[in-house]
Amino acid sequence: MGTLEGHLLPGAGFLLYSFYYSVLTSLALLQEQKALKHPLLPRKLRGHGLFRQVSYEALVKVVVPVFGIIGEYFYPLGVNRVQMIDWKDPRRPFVFKDNWQHVTMFGFFLLSGVVDMVSQTHLERWGVKLQRAAEALAFYVLILLMVTHIENKSSLEIRVHLLLMVPSFLLALVLTVEVWVPNHPPIWVLKSWLGLVLGNWMMQICEMYVPPTGQPWRADDPTDHAFLTIFFCWHLALAAALFITIYGLCSLWHCRYSSWTKTPGARYQRCPMEFNGEELEKLKADALSQNGVVLPETPDVQTGANDRDV
């Protein structure tokens, strides 16, 4: 993953997923939902087999790691890094350490997606807790791998990955809390914000490989180290601003959608206790103007009154 392409795939994946989760959170808050409702794939794509209820979230968790694993092994075209041990060397050394670390990270996120699919279909009772536990495990594994990933790196790369570990660790803690306290709106907001921070920082790492100024970052310059920390703090504020913007746009859509779904004049009217011919004719005219349906002939008013007296 020590390339622009290697950081771009997980960065774009985290960022898009964070946008998706922020939209779900905003709509859930606006509609006062007690639990997040993840949209399911169309029935034609789900089929009627093992996975009858698959959400877009679970599908993304499976598809993105699969592409990441394939890229770690076979990108660029023509290379093959599947080998773990060099059997030709008498010392039997491990090879492609970084790639196997990345494959392990992608593998645990892939496992989280598979757990989502299985739990959404077959474990409706306590499936949400299992999903959050698998997702928290993936982030804990990410942090463990980062500890050894920064070995033999430049001081600038170490600083970048240490700052990346901050939102990753906080996300793992939040997901762990959510295992015991599910469906809690403040946790939804915190997860959305931390996810946006993580995705934005991954894209910042991509910028370091192709700096817009044309001047590469200098690992031996303390000023570059200081500005790297400053940029991370800016990303904290940027993530909050992005979430507020998403919430505002969802609020506008929710207000407009609510106004569209309201039918003018479709309100219940209390039936008067005393009937007379004029009132019945007025009610019939209102019904015809609203529904366009011809009502049956109205029974005799006097007969209805007599029946009511009896």
Side-chain angles (χ1 to χ4, degrees):
M1 194 189 291
T3 61
L4 172 64
E5 296 83 358
H7 287 88
L8 186 60
L9 176 63
F14 279 124
L15 192 59
L16 292 176
Y17 177 77
S18 300
F19 276 113
Y20 163 80
Y21 193 85
S22 298
V23 171
L24 287 185
T25 299
S26 300
L27 293 177
L29 294 175
L30 291 169
Q31 298 172 0
E32 298 182 355
Q33 299 176 3
K34 295 182 179 180
L36 285 179
K37 298 179 180 179
H38 296 274
L40 301 179
L41 293 175
R43 187 178 297 275
K44 294 181 180 180
L45 298 179
R46 285 181 281 154
H48 303 280
L50 180 61
F51 302 112
R52 297 186 300 273
Q53 294 182 352
V54 178
S55 64
Y56 288 96
E57 174 188 9
L59 182 63
V60 170
K61 286 184 180 180
V62 171
V63 172
V64 174
V66 167
F67 277 102
I69 292 173
I70 294 175
E72 291 294 338
Y73 282 147
F74 305 109
Y75 181 84
L77 297 178
V79 303
N80 187 347
R81 304 188 186 92
V82 178
Q83 183 182 8
M84 180 182 289
I85 300 175
D86 187 2
W87 297 102
K88 297 180 180 180
D89 193 326
R91 298 175 299 171
R92 303 293 188 268
F94 289 105
V95 292
F96 306 123
K97 172 184 71 70
D98 290 345
N99 300 96
W100 278 99
Q101 286 179 337
H102 304 150
V103 167
T104 303
M105 177 194 70
F106 284 125
F108 274 88
F109 281 103
L110 174 62
L111 175 64
S112 175
V114 174
V115 169
D116 287 358
M117 289 184 175
V118 175
S119 61
Q120 289 169 3
T121 305
H122 302 284
L123 304 173
E124 297 180 359
R125 183 176 180 182
W126 44 278
V128 175
K129 293 185 178 182
L130 186 60
Q131 294 172 33
R132 299 291 82 80
E135 196 171 0
L137 177 62
F139 279 102
Y140 283 124
V141 170
L142 171 62
I143 297 166
L144 288 175
L145 294 173
M146 284 294 174
V147 172
T148 57
H149 185 70
I150 60 178
E151 294 178 351
N152 300 323
K153 302 286 186 180
S154 65
S155 58
L156 187 67
E157 288 180 300
I158 293 175
R159 178 71 61 87
V160 168
H161 288 87
L162 286 176
L163 293 173
L164 181 65
M165 291 169 63
V166 173
S168 301
F169 180 69
L170 293 177
L171 266 173
L173 288 180
V174 171
L175 290 167
T176 303
V177 173
E178 196 173 16
V179 174
W180 309 108
V181 188
N183 301 326
H184 196 51
I187 294 181
W188 302 343
V189 177
L190 187 58
K191 283 175 57 179
S192 301
W193 175 63
L194 290 173
L196 291 172
V197 172
L198 181 61
N200 288 336
W201 190 245
M202 289 291 294
M203 301 307 292
Q204 175 70 49
I205 297 176
C206 295
E207 182 272 334
M208 295 180 65
Y209 287 95
V210 186
T213 61
Q215 181 66 31
W217 290 72
R218 295 175 292 272
D220 56 347
D221 191 346
T223 304
D224 285 11
H225 287 218
F227 268 96
L228 193 65
T229 307
I230 293 173
F231 289 162
F232 180 78
C233 295
W234 288 359
H235 278 291
L236 298 177
L238 175 62
L242 284 175
F243 181 78
I244 294 173
T245 303
I246 293 173
Y247 182 84
L249 294 175
C250 291
S251 178
L252 293 176
W253 178 87
H254 178 70
C255 295
R256 180 63 59 88
Y257 178 77
S258 299
S259 63
W260 286 345
T261 54
K262 291 181 180 179
T263 304
R267 295 182 179 180
Y268 290 103
Q269 298 181 5
R270 184 177 179 181
C271 185
M273 296 300 296
E274 297 295 335
F275 291 95
N276 56 55
E278 183 179 354
E279 291 176 347
L280 285 176
E281 291 298 330
K282 183 177 180 181
L283 289 175
K284 183 190 295 186
D286 292 340
L288 288 174
S289 62
Q290 292 178 7
N291 302 325
V293 178
V294 178
L295 297 178
E297 291 295 329
T298 306
D300 185 71
V301 176
Q302 184 65 30
T303 303
N306 294 334
D307 294 339
R308 185 174 64 254
D309 294 337
V310 175

